[in-house]
Amino acid sequence: MFMQVYFHKTRLAYDIHLRHCLKSLLPNGRFPKPVGKDLSRYLEWDDWKVLGLLSAGKGGEHGRRLAERDHYREIYHTPEVAKIRDFEKLNQVREQLGGMVAAEESTAKSWCKADDLDVPVLLSDGNRRAAMLSRLMKFFYFLQILREVPLGYRFTLYAYEPFDSAVLGDLGAAEVFDLVKVSAASHPLGYGYKIESRIDTDRAFALGGDLVKKHKDDLDWVIRQFGKKSIADLELESTIVYVAQSACAKQWPSADVPSCITRSVSAVKPRFSVESVASRITQLKQGGIEI
């Protein structure tokens, strides 16, 4: 439902028009800062003011499109859970259309995505460190794929990371059984979720049983390898691993695998250049990760 509402083709089209229209209407293309002397100027920019300017013919081409409901039409979009071949087809469509493309929207650029700020999670470890929910998702992915820890998840490439909603379900179940407490909290980045353990370390290891004991080294390895990396780095590296593990990759000639992975990752994540993807693949290999 989230994708059907926030990424509906018509809503996205009006996002484009509204964004460009406001940039044309606002002083220097920006809202006044909502603080100090600028607060009153900021409050002037309500719906009535914008609608009045639109009715007066202001806002350029995009203002006209908003006033006349003449929005952009969608030509093509990838599936909600896109696979490598879907992004390759997107590249083909993009090349065939060339200069005819008026706009292109990506979940990686959307206001409702979870990029570097994502859903913040405060870890109750005494240091009050701010972590991210998507960071935890990627840690589980690396544990299962790179270290073969049998977690039982079925990850798919969803928007901007390997994802399985079952991870969130397990977190909810842990809260129901009073193993963790999830509550809203403020932190330097804004507001997010604080996840606190309701049991001590010994109890946690006891509940984990043989699985935790057997794979303690794997847990330590993932933290050492990825624990200090940014969300953007984890996004790129998890995508590289996902593409390398995909069915498509297994059909590529062995000599072409690195270049094929590079091209495919660049198609999936166009904000990362081909050069940066190739460089990151080299770094992962040097770190002992098979790609």
Side-chain angles (χ1 to χ4, degrees):
M1 181 176 177
F2 178 88
M3 298 294 287
Q4 291 174 341
V5 173
Y6 291 107
F7 293 97
H8 187 277
K9 59 184 181 181
T10 305
R11 201 202 69 82
L12 286 178
Y14 279 104
D15 268 359
I16 295 169
H17 299 315
L18 183 59
R19 189 165 63 240
H20 287 285
C21 173
L22 286 174
K23 188 173 182 179
S24 174
L25 294 175
L26 291 167
N28 299 317
R30 294 178 177 274
F31 280 102
K33 293 182 179 180
V35 294
K37 296 180 180 180
D38 288 334
L39 178 58
S40 59
R41 293 176 55 233
Y42 173 82
L43 293 174
E44 291 175 359
W45 284 94
D46 55 15
D47 291 352
W48 291 110
K49 179 167 184 173
V50 174
L51 290 172
L53 291 170
L54 289 179
S55 66
K58 305 294 184 180
E61 177 197 350
H62 295 280
R64 179 194 65 76
R65 287 184 177 274
L66 287 171
E68 298 178 5
R69 300 185 181 181
D70 179 24
H71 62 80
Y72 287 160
R73 265 56 177 183
E74 180 187 78
I75 297 175
Y76 179 79
H77 71 267
T78 57
E80 179 177 340
V81 181
K83 301 184 183 301
I84 303 304
R85 62 176 177 270
D86 297 315
F87 289 103
E88 292 175 345
K89 183 177 180 181
L90 174 62
N91 267 349
Q92 293 172 2
V93 172
R94 187 187 290 129
E95 291 173 1
Q96 290 174 2
L97 291 172
M100 294 174 61
V101 178
E104 185 173 344
E105 291 290 284
S106 166
T107 55
K109 297 180 180 178
S110 171
W111 61 267
C112 54
K113 74 180 179 66
D115 198 14
D116 286 354
L117 293 183
D118 193 15
V119 180
V121 179
L122 294 181
L123 301 182
S124 182
D125 62 356
N127 295 322
R128 308 290 292 175
R129 293 183 297 110
M132 308 294 171
L133 192 56
S134 65
R135 181 185 295 273
L136 301 180
M137 184 73 69
K138 294 176 180 71
F139 287 170
F140 284 128
Y141 176 73
F142 290 135
L143 275 171
Q144 180 165 301
I145 300 302
L146 297 180
R147 304 298 288 190
E148 299 183 349
V149 178
L151 300 178
Y153 295 124
R154 300 179 63 182
F155 290 97
T156 56
L157 196 61
Y158 188 88
Y160 54 91
E161 66 180 356
F163 176 86
D164 186 353
S165 60
V167 174
L168 307 182
D170 287 346
L171 179 61
E175 184 178 18
V176 169
F177 287 103
D178 205 30
L179 302 178
V180 298
K181 177 183 177 182
V182 182
S183 57
S186 62
H187 61 89
L189 298 178
Y191 289 89
Y193 294 108
K194 179 175 68 175
I195 299 179
E196 298 176 292
S197 175
R198 302 299 296 269
I199 57 178
D200 59 31
T201 303
D202 291 339
R203 176 61 175 158
F205 271 92
L207 288 173
D210 293 338
L211 180 67
V212 173
K213 294 177 183 177
K214 181 179 179 180
H215 295 287
K216 184 179 183 303
D217 290 343
D218 299 313
L219 290 165
D220 292 339
W221 180 86
V222 167
I223 297 301
R224 286 196 310 270
Q225 190 79 23
F226 302 103
K228 295 183 178 180
K229 295 191 175 184
S230 69
I231 292 295
D233 286 338
L234 292 174
E235 176 188 347
L236 176 56
E237 293 180 8
S238 61
T239 304
I240 289 172
V241 173
Y242 185 90
V243 171
Q245 296 286 331
S246 69
C248 292
K250 294 176 173 58
Q251 299 173 7
W252 294 329
S254 56
D256 295 337
V257 167
S259 61
C260 289
I261 292 176
T262 300
R263 290 197 302 272
S264 295
V265 172
S266 296
V268 175
K269 305 290 181 183
R271 70 190 184 99
F272 295 105
S273 67
V274 172
E275 293 75 14
S276 65
V277 174
S279 174
R280 191 58 57 88
I281 290 174
T282 300
Q283 292 175 23
L284 289 172
K285 288 182 177 180
Q286 291 173 345
I289 297 174
E290 295 184 9
I291 300 296

